[in-house]
Amino acid sequence: MNHKNSKTDLVHIGSILEKALSEYRPAGDMEMTGIWEHWDEAVGPAVSGNAKPGAFNKGTLIVNVSSSVWMQQLRFLEKDIRSKLNRLLGKELVKSIRFKIAKLHN
């Protein structure tokens, strides 16, 4: 049995999700996949390990955080996070961010 082990065979999960969900979800939900795709770059590895996008509705991004300490820190960084995400998304999509303590799924 011959297995290819090449990076060219890999496909980004965002493109798979976008294609699969486009038939079943409203266009607004597709914007969430863009947020997920750019999250790590926008916030960096320390924040990304302790906070993940959870939901997006009418310009408000809900971010799940691992603890109250991280929630407090991210409140101070909200404006910067919002600005970086919107720049990476290429439009002013995220109008506000709300943080909530929740179990993170990596």
Side-chain angles (χ1 to χ4, degrees):
M1 189 177 216
N2 187 7
H3 291 284
K4 277 186 176 181
N5 234 355
S6 170
K7 284 191 173 196
T8 58
D9 295 333
L10 300 176
V11 178
H12 191 278
I13 189 71
S15 62
I16 294 170
L17 286 173
E18 184 173 347
K19 184 177 178 181
L21 295 176
S22 65
E23 296 177 31
Y24 304 103
R25 293 198 168 247
D29 286 353
M30 296 314 299
E31 294 168 335
M32 186 67 190
T33 61
I35 293 169
W36 265 102
E37 186 175 315
H38 295 294
W39 181 253
D40 291 348
E41 183 179 354
V43 301
V47 172
S48 178
N50 290 282
K52 301 287 184 195
F56 183 73
N57 187 26
K58 298 178 184 173
T60 299
L61 175 63
I62 307 298
V63 175
N64 297 327
V65 297
S66 61
S67 70
S68 59
V69 173
W70 273 103
M71 185 163 50
Q72 184 66 27
Q73 178 65 26
L74 292 176
R75 284 182 179 148
F76 289 115
L77 298 173
E78 177 188 354
K79 185 177 178 183
D80 290 336
I81 293 169
R82 194 175 65 237
S83 176
K84 287 178 186 177
L85 272 175
N86 286 331
R87 188 181 77 245
L88 291 167
L89 292 165
K91 59 183 171 179
E92 294 294 316
L93 184 63
V94 180
K95 308 289 187 216
S96 64
I97 302 175
R98 287 187 28 222
F99 302 100
K100 72 174 196 170
I101 297 172
K103 182 175 174 117
L104 301 182
H105 299 283
N106 293 329

